[in-house]
Amino acid sequence: MSIVKINVLTVPPEHRETLEKRFAARAGAVEGSDGFEWFELLRPVEGTDTYLVYTRWRTEEDFQRWMAGRGQAAHGGGGGEQGDRPKPAATDATLWSFEVVQQAGPKQG
């Protein structure tokens, strides 16, 4: 089954809008990647300043290929001097990894 990567981002309230606009501007950056299955940006509702960036991939290798290529550029590793890139909206980031062992969708009918 698939693997899930959840990027846990600590985003101060004054940077939320910036983060969301940056993700909106990158729409399509991952969707065409081989093995990519799903993306969601989850905004905290109450009691936390933590955003979750959920992606699902066919295999770990597909994710690693994306990270080594287009993902590296998307995460600030692609070219240019540090001064050329905008300051990160998040103050901390952690990557969680999971294997999907069970899944279910809505019943049809």
Side-chain angles (χ1 to χ4, degrees), residues 104-109:
K107 289 185 179 183
Q108 302 297 318

Side-chain angles (χ1 to χ4, degrees), residues 6 16 26 32 40 45 49 55-56 63 68 84 96 99:
I6 300 174
R16 284 180 167 198
R26 56 112 328 257
E40 291 178 324
V45 176
D49 58 358
T55 57
R56 191 168 86 184
F63 172 74
D84 294 345
W96 294 343
E99 291 180 332

Side-chain angles (χ1 to χ4, degrees), residues 1-21:
M1 282 205 176
S2 305
I3 60 128
V4 170
K5 301 293 182 172
I6 300 174
N7 198 355
V8 182
L9 304 175
T10 302
V11 182
E14 65 271 17
H15 295 293
R16 284 180 167 198
E17 184 177 349
T18 299
L19 179 86
E20 291 179 21
K21 284 182 179 180

Side-chain angles (χ1 to χ4, degrees), residues 1-98:
M1 282 205 176
S2 305
I3 60 128
V4 170
K5 301 293 182 172
I6 300 174
N7 198 355
V8 182
L9 304 175
T10 302
V11 182
E14 65 271 17
H15 295 293
R16 284 180 167 198
E17 184 177 349
T18 299
L19 179 86
E20 291 179 21
K21 284 182 179 180
R22 287 180 185 169
F23 269 94
R26 56 112 328 257
V30 69
E31 287 87 334
S33 300
D34 189 43
F36 170 79
E37 295 179 351
W38 200 258
F39 163 85
E40 291 178 324
L41 175 62
L42 305 176
R43 176 193 301 139
V45 176
E46 57 187 34
T48 184
D49 58 358
T50 303
Y51 275 73
L52 300 178
V53 182
Y54 173 100
T55 57
R56 191 168 86 184
W57 298 85
R58 179 179 53 213
T59 67
E60 177 69 26
E61 292 75 23
D62 291 325
F63 172 74
Q64 292 300 329
R65 264 192 305 278
W66 178 77
M67 280 299 295
R70 293 165 68 187
Q72 186 175 18
H75 287 91
E81 296 296 319
Q82 179 63 32
D84 294 345
R85 290 192 298 264
K87 184 178 176 184
T91 58
D92 190 34
T94 302
L95 183 65
W96 294 343
S97 299
F98 298 88

